[in-house]
Amino acid sequence: MEDSCPTGSVGFSCQSMGRDSQGRGSCSLESEGAAVGGLLLLALTGHREPKRRRPEQGEAEEEGTTKRHRAEPGSRRVPTSRLALAYVVPCMDFYGICVKDSFLGEALGTQILVEVEALNRSGKFRDGQLVSQRTVPSCSIRGDQIAWVEGREPGCQAIGTLMARVDELILQCAGKLGGYDINGRTKAMVACYPGNGMGYVRHVDNPHGDGRCVTCIYYLNRQWDSKIHGGILQIYPEGRPVVASIEPIFDRLLIFWSDRRNPHEVKPAYATRYAITVWYFDAKERAEAKGRHQLASAQRGGPSHGTQANSPT
């Protein structure tokens, strides 16, 4: 299914991607061994991940099927280029899905969460809408509330930094993500499931060639326990007899192909669940989509406005 957002939400050129307001381009990441390849394998296969180290005295060992990887004191930071080329690209080539925990770190992740919670309190969130199936109430398909953010608005500086860091990661994959020519992205869609048992039925982000090729989702939910809170994102990779069950835990970045290769759904959430999503465009497909839209608008005799689909996950 396709969804819509306000006109003008399209269009951040690659020239401005990958830099925050201070011009920094590097990403604060974990040690080289913490790229959570094992966690992705676990999500896809259901097999328990081997233990990497024994917990120190007084340190509780984490439980659950998806463990959070923590950077150890003094660990070496991975250059964004290495994370992109040695982990993201291979994961996308093989799985079509990539998971990176502790993407920004505690401090910046906390700042983003504070900004998102402030957006929620301010009343700027609106019910998510659908383009297709207009005769069906949106709330029967998706139960989220959303706000679109450029990253330059007052009170959204940390969200802007997140967008810059994801831009940098995607740009470092230059030309190696499925052969796409990525030349821009959407605004950030900040989504909140209010915890009333609503989710989002199985769908595809880009089923009709609107230009989106890569979906990136950043999660902000502390102490999330899917057994209690639900809210898991389940992806059904095309042609694979597996399901990827992704918990929306704090400071986790999820990347996957936006097209029909990755149908997915959000299971009912029973606690407030926050996520920030951006979609990256393939230049050729996006130009073709705009051309089709302009032609259809001209045939209808109406104004030609750029449109963009969205899908909170």
Side-chain angles (χ1 to χ4, degrees):
M1 71 190 69
E2 279 192 354
D3 312 87
S4 65
C5 80
T7 300
S9 60
V10 175
F12 285 80
S13 68
C14 278
Q15 284 72 20
S16 64
M17 290 164 59
R19 299 286 168 181
D20 60 23
S21 58
Q22 282 75 44
R24 295 186 294 264
S26 60
C27 199
S28 177
L29 299 169
E30 295 182 41
S31 63
E32 183 174 357
V36 294
L39 186 145
L40 178 58
L41 181 63
L42 171 67
L44 288 169
T45 65
H47 296 302
R48 183 169 295 278
E49 183 182 8
K51 294 180 180 178
R52 282 177 163 73
R53 63 182 179 87
R54 298 180 62 86
E56 302 294 337
Q57 184 175 5
E59 177 185 1
E61 183 176 0
E62 295 181 335
E63 298 180 353
T65 57
T66 53
K67 295 186 177 68
R68 187 96 183 269
H69 296 267
R70 296 179 180 177
E72 298 180 10
S75 62
R76 186 161 56 92
R77 299 293 181 181
V78 180
T80 306
S81 59
R82 175 170 291 180
L83 177 64
L85 299 177
Y87 179 64
V88 175
V89 170
C91 277
M92 293 297 285
D93 282 346
F94 188 77
Y95 298 110
I97 304 167
C98 182
V99 179
K100 176 67 181 82
D101 277 0
S102 301
F103 178 60
L104 297 178
E106 176 68 23
L108 182 51
T110 297
Q111 293 175 25
I112 295 168
L113 178 57
V114 167
E115 292 183 355
V116 168
E117 289 175 332
L119 282 173
N120 195 9
R121 290 193 302 269
S122 71
K124 293 182 179 179
F125 283 78
R126 298 290 182 266
D127 290 342
Q129 300 297 314
L130 305 173
V131 168
S132 59
Q133 300 181 341
R134 292 181 183 274
T135 59
V136 180
S138 296
C139 62
S140 67
I141 297 176
R142 55 185 292 185
D144 63 320
Q145 297 177 323
I146 65 173
W148 291 94
V149 174
E150 290 186 3
R152 297 191 293 267
E153 301 89 340
C156 294
Q157 290 86 350
I159 296 175
T161 300
L162 163 66
M163 297 164 73
R165 300 286 178 87
V166 179
D167 286 348
E168 174 71 7
L169 182 62
I170 297 299
L171 280 181
Q172 289 292 342
C173 298
K176 300 183 184 298
L177 284 176
Y180 291 115
D181 178 14
I182 295 176
N183 70 336
R185 59 158 164 77
T186 66
K187 292 181 183 180
M189 188 186 73
V190 184
C192 171
Y193 289 86
N196 57 358
M198 298 297 289
Y200 197 152
V201 301
R202 184 165 168 168
H203 64 282
V204 172
D205 284 358
N206 176 18
H208 303 304
D210 62 28
R212 291 176 299 164
C213 58
V214 175
T215 300
C216 297
I217 309 170
Y218 181 73
Y219 292 113
L220 288 158
N221 308 294
R222 295 185 185 278
Q223 299 178 335
W224 191 269
D225 185 343
S226 60
K227 294 180 181 179
I228 299 172
H229 304 134
I232 282 180
L233 173 68
Q234 290 196 325
I235 306 178
Y236 305 87
E238 182 183 53
R240 292 178 181 266
V242 294
V243 176
S245 295
I246 311 296
E247 288 189 285
I249 64 174
F250 181 80
D251 202 21
R252 168 172 286 174
L253 179 68
L254 170 66
I255 306 171
F256 58 90
W257 302 129
S258 303
D259 60 19
R260 293 180 181 274
R261 285 172 287 182
N262 284 315
H264 54 281
E265 65 180 322
V266 178
K267 292 297 186 179
Y270 300 98
T272 302
R273 179 190 187 276
Y274 290 118
I276 301 176
T277 304
V278 294
W279 290 270
Y280 289 85
F281 292 119
D282 173 63
K284 181 179 179 181
E285 184 178 305
R286 186 60 181 167
E288 291 172 350
K290 286 183 176 180
R292 291 194 303 269
H293 179 73
Q294 290 169 355
L295 178 60
S297 296
Q299 290 173 342
R300 290 193 304 265
S304 178
H305 295 298
T307 62
Q308 168 212 322
N310 72 68
S311 169
T313 43

